[in-house]
Amino acid sequence: MEKNYEPNKIEPKWQEFWEKQGLYRAQDFSDKPKTYLLVEFPYPSGAGLHVGHCRSYTALDVIARKKRMEGENVLFPMGWDAFGLPTENYAIKTGIHPAIATKQNTETFKRQEMALGLSFDWNREINTTDPAYYKWTQWIFLKLFENGLAYKARIPINWCLACQIGLANEEVVDGKCERCGSEVEKREKEQWLIKITEYAERLIADLELVDFPERVKTQQVNWIGRSEGALVKFPLVSSHNFIEVFTTRIDTIFSGTFLIVAPGSKLIDEYQDQIKNWDEVLKYREAAQKISDIDRANEEKDITGIELKGITAVNPATNEKMPVWIADFVLEQYGTGAVFADGHDKRDFKMGKKYGLPLKTSLVPDDESITDKVKNLEICYEGEGVLFNSGQFNGLTSAESRPKIISWLQENGFAESKINYKLRDWVFSRQHYWGEPTPLVHCQKCGWVGIPEKDLPVELPNVENYKPTETGESPLASIEDWVNTKCPKCKGPAKRETDVMPNWAGSNWYFMRYCDPNNAERFAGPELLKYWMPVDWYNGGMEHTTLHLLYSRFIYKFLWDIGEVPKELGPEPYKKRTSHGMILGEGGIKMSKSKGNVINPDEVIKEWGADTLRVYEMFMGPFDQAIAWDTKGVRGVRRFLDRVYNLTNRKLIDKQSVVNDNLERLLHKTIKKVGEDIENMKFNTAVAALMILVNKMEEKEEIPKEILKKFLLILGPFAPHMAEEIWHILGEKQSIFLSGWPKYDPQFIEDQLVNLVVQINGRVRDSVEIARDVSEGEAQALVLQSAKLKQWIEGKEIKKVVFVPNKLINFVI
RNA sequence: GCCCGGGUGGUGGAAUGGUAUACACGAGAGACUUAAAAUCUCUUGCCAGUAAUGGCUUGUGGGUUCGAGUCCCACCCCGGGCACCA
């Protein structure tokens, strides 16, 4: 009787079978070689699992299954990064407690992941909102605090006047509140910051130790943005003070003719009495606050600025007086929030021309044709060159001049070398509810004091209203009996910190918790960390490159520095990082509820089966690139799996009774290719190779059982339920995943006959079948007899012959 | 705007500097069927030609090379990130 492929019957059956057998339990301290495979744990949103999650998880599931078959002790865990804004906003809207929404969402996610047949070790499931987990998130914050890496500073936040709530940048659209459309203003708030900048140098240098894609390394290096330069003091005429500027172009200091300060800079406030047009300055400052930094730094936009009337600085190199202006293209956060302006910077140049400010140049490029134009300020030259107008430094190149100018200015206290980073310290406070409480109290006598470890976790109390207070404090601030407490040090009255931590706090160390998820004494025990860490392979989205990936490297390094992570593990948490591409909706646009183009994995599984979803997502395109969903492609994959299943309806024979050389050859080539492709995450070509093998098997009246079985072994990681089902149809009793990964026989890999391509002047004119490893002379003799070639070669002189063994021969005539 | 990717048939894509278009989708023709669906077989980059065959083709323009989708330069378009979304 013909058997039919019914995924909805076989998939739950095998999922239960695997779970019962505990096939995916990672064994602590096993003698087998360990492999720690990690996917970014999801934020369990109300929308349910996205097909994009499925792509990343299936990919590492394929790798995990293969590595287990290869005899490795695999740790492949899953958890929930469940604190965050969307759940809180949902609570504000509906009144449903975030903990309840989180519970529902994680249950949905877990059910959906299980339905995909992912081989996670569910015994190690973690949740960042679990007090037993965030106890250690708080503990890590305290360690940062104790080690002087946490400090308070006034930082602007987005504040919606109408909603009375702080907004994430994402919630501000064109300067307006995303929910109510009213104006958003900047408010300064005292917030906790973490000194990630202290680790800037090491975060760059240690990238050499890890196997990350080059684009990820470049993005991180550029994000940290190290630049060598100088701090230069420009004295003010009317006081003993000065304005300090960071520059990487000290070589152009002699052409500095005016200063530009960021409009929000605190430098200005100090001189309020001296600034004659203070009202105007305030107006400009307010306007600048409404423009995003991205727009302010846009090099194409119109330059605006106003003079700080009454303030004049002096260029310490030339002793010439310099007007001082403010302009919004100078950003408060970068360097010192002030620059000196000259004719060698496009924006300075534009500003000078626009407002009739003095402009000078002091270096000329190698290209003499534009020398005069640069000198006459007809064009702006931003490159390096040879100095003029620069006193004793005339004639030096930019690179030669920089150290000399710095030390010359340094003698008089006007300059010093300085390395600056674009990277900023990490704002660690949120005026929200759904996050980890910051474990600090403020005492009148003792200042900020950490909660002792024995009193952790500081549990998140219940509130009735999830909205921040009218003054912009976290909702926790309104719980008086929680806020008012005793100072752990002096037992005097103290107030708790009411801001909670950002979502990153829980996700920057979670990979260590998986090693020892139930430890009540430590964030993870040193022996287990030594056994499982570092993460051997971490896959995630490109969009996390500069935040989560960088933050978690930093936190790991910090814990390693203070000895909480065993020294022998080394300074990097992730050995290897890979990135998946996003899955877009049909037509290449982002999937979103509002566009109604969201693909729900539940429905795909219901209609086609989990194996179809898995294989489709692996086959749809290159794993590291964004790709659009295509339902027709899903159907194609299901057709493929149907054909695989139908192989069991063929006549299956014992191998000994038949010589099936071609099929055997192809099998071994496929084993090799699929194995290598999985390691290189070239899942799409691995699936294509499996399809080619199936097409070949289908051509045969009889299929040797051994060949079918080996095919099932390499299909297994992609379509585990299908492989297990057929494995058992063939009479096996044990799980297919307890069988080893098949080995290929090298003698079947190389063909004895090769196709030699014949080219004339690099154009293909013919091809011939010849024996492998034929010499150039033999090949030439053989090829030149061909009648086809005669028409091209006759009467022409062969100038050169290029021969690539087993590939091609090219005649240049 | 700045930083990082990408651009190949009608579509998703394949291709250690060496036969561009594997595999799949779609489309067309046929078989099976009362019919449709499903399934199976064949065709399918574009142009000319009955065919053999020839010419053209990897976003655009230039360069290196016996040979370029692949390397170099410039430009155009699309995607990701830009620090309180995760």
Side-chain angles (χ1 to χ4, degrees), chain A residues 597-657:
Chain A
N597 61 350
V598 177
I599 301 290
N600 182 345
D602 286 341
E603 281 161 30
V604 180
I605 290 174
K606 201 172 147 208
E607 190 169 359
W608 310 102
D611 280 338
T612 297
L613 176 57
R614 293 172 58 111
V615 175
Y616 170 66
E617 292 216 7
M618 293 300 94
F619 182 61
M620 65 195 300
F623 180 67
D624 60 357
Q625 262 154 61
I627 196 159
W629 188 265
D630 175 20
T631 298
K632 292 195 214 94
V634 181
R635 189 160 51 207
V637 167
R638 173 58 195 264
R639 270 205 286 257
F640 164 66
L641 291 178
D642 278 328
R643 290 192 291 128
V644 170
Y645 194 84
N646 281 334
L647 292 174
T648 59
N649 294 319
R650 297 274 167 133
K651 188 174 177 198
L652 301 176
I653 51 166
D654 289 331
K655 191 188 163 194
Q656 295 90 320
S657 64

Side-chain angles (χ1 to χ4, degrees), chain A residues 280-298:
Chain A
E280 213 186 334
V281 168
L282 277 186
K283 240 168 97 188
Y284 187 84
R285 176 182 274 190
E286 257 170 52
Q289 273 178 358
K290 292 198 175 124
I291 312 172
S292 73
D293 282 3
I294 293 172
D295 291 334
R296 280 172 59 175
N298 187 333

Side-chain angles (χ1 to χ4, degrees), chain A residues 4-259:
Chain A
N4 277 320
Y5 175 41
E6 291 173 285
N8 294 330
K9 281 195 185 147
I10 67 173
E11 287 173 355
K13 177 178 78 183
W14 293 119
Q15 282 160 18
E16 203 181 307
F17 175 77
W18 296 326
E19 198 55 37
K20 263 195 194 145
Q21 303 226 330
L23 230 48
Y24 311 132
R25 301 282 169 267
Q27 305 297 324
D28 290 338
F29 306 120
S30 149
D31 290 336
K32 289 181 183 177
K34 74 96 183 175
T35 300
Y36 184 177
L37 303 174
L38 185 64
V39 287
E40 285 168 347
F41 64 161
Y43 178 77
S45 74
L49 200 70
H50 188 276
V51 286
H53 292 120
C54 303
R55 193 183 193 193
S56 162
Y57 303 164
T58 303
L60 259 74
D61 188 61
V62 169
I63 293 164
R65 287 175 182 277
K66 170 169 179 270
K67 291 205 183 281
R68 285 192 202 98
M69 289 169 86
E70 286 173 328
E72 295 185 28
N73 181 26
V74 172
L75 171 55
F76 185 42
M78 176 45 58
W80 318 106
D81 185 18
F83 276 131
L85 207 53
T87 308
E88 177 161 321
N89 287 340
Y90 180 73
I92 291 172
K93 220 160 82 186
T94 62
I96 294 171
H97 195 283
I100 292 168
T102 296
K103 188 160 180 288
Q104 289 170 349
N105 293 346
T106 52
E107 274 166 11
T108 306
F109 267 64
K110 186 170 178 178
R111 176 184 57 71
Q112 292 181 300
E113 289 178 11
M114 288 181 131
L116 266 170
L118 297 168
S119 63
F120 292 128
D121 180 352
W122 288 108
N123 280 3
R124 292 169 186 260
E125 184 179 351
I126 58 173
N127 189 321
T128 56
T129 64
D130 179 353
Y133 180 92
Y134 69 67
K135 171 178 180 176
W136 300 106
T137 308
Q138 292 173 334
W139 178 86
I140 290 169
F141 177 83
L142 285 172
K143 290 289 157 203
L144 290 162
F145 177 70
E146 287 163 19
N147 285 276
L149 289 173
Y151 65 98
K152 272 222 151 174
R154 288 186 75 79
I155 297 290
I157 62 162
N158 303 308
W159 181 256
C160 174
L161 284 164
C163 303
Q164 299 260 22
I165 198 167
L167 299 177
N169 287 347
E170 195 192 46
E171 298 173 290
V172 182
V173 182
D174 300 325
K176 304 253 158 60
C177 172
E178 190 187 38
R179 357 177 156 201
C180 70
S182 55
E183 287 281 306
V184 172
E185 65 166 38
K186 287 250 158 72
R187 262 195 193 185
E188 290 216 327
K189 278 275 312 166
E190 280 257 309
Q191 316 219 53
W192 287 101
L193 280 92
I194 308 286
K195 287 186 192 168
I196 189 173
T197 48
E198 285 208 353
Y199 279 71
E201 205 67 49
R202 288 166 62 195
L203 287 167
I204 295 173
D206 290 350
L207 285 172
E208 279 196 22
L209 307 175
V210 293
D211 176 15
F212 288 11
E214 229 21 75
R215 58 177 171 148
V216 170
K217 290 189 182 183
T218 321
Q219 273 287 62
Q220 290 207 344
V221 168
N222 292 346
W223 178 261
I224 296 169
R226 179 187 198 274
S227 52
E228 288 180 16
L231 273 180
V232 186
K233 288 175 178 168
F234 291 81
L236 295 178
V237 169
S238 54
S239 75
H240 296 295
N241 280 338
F242 44 81
I243 289 175
E244 207 164 23
V245 161
F246 173 78
T247 179
T248 56
R249 294 304 304 275
I250 192 83
D251 48 317
T252 65
I253 184 84
F254 283 86
S255 50
T257 45
F258 59 102
L259 291 182

Side-chain angles (χ1 to χ4, degrees), chain A residues 266-283:
Chain A
K266 291 178 182 77
L267 283 173
I268 307 171
D269 299 80
E270 291 174 36
Y271 305 109
Q272 189 176 339
D273 328 338
Q274 293 171 44
I275 297 171
K276 289 173 188 151
N277 54 339
W278 184 247
D279 288 349
E280 213 186 334
V281 168
L282 277 186
K283 240 168 97 188

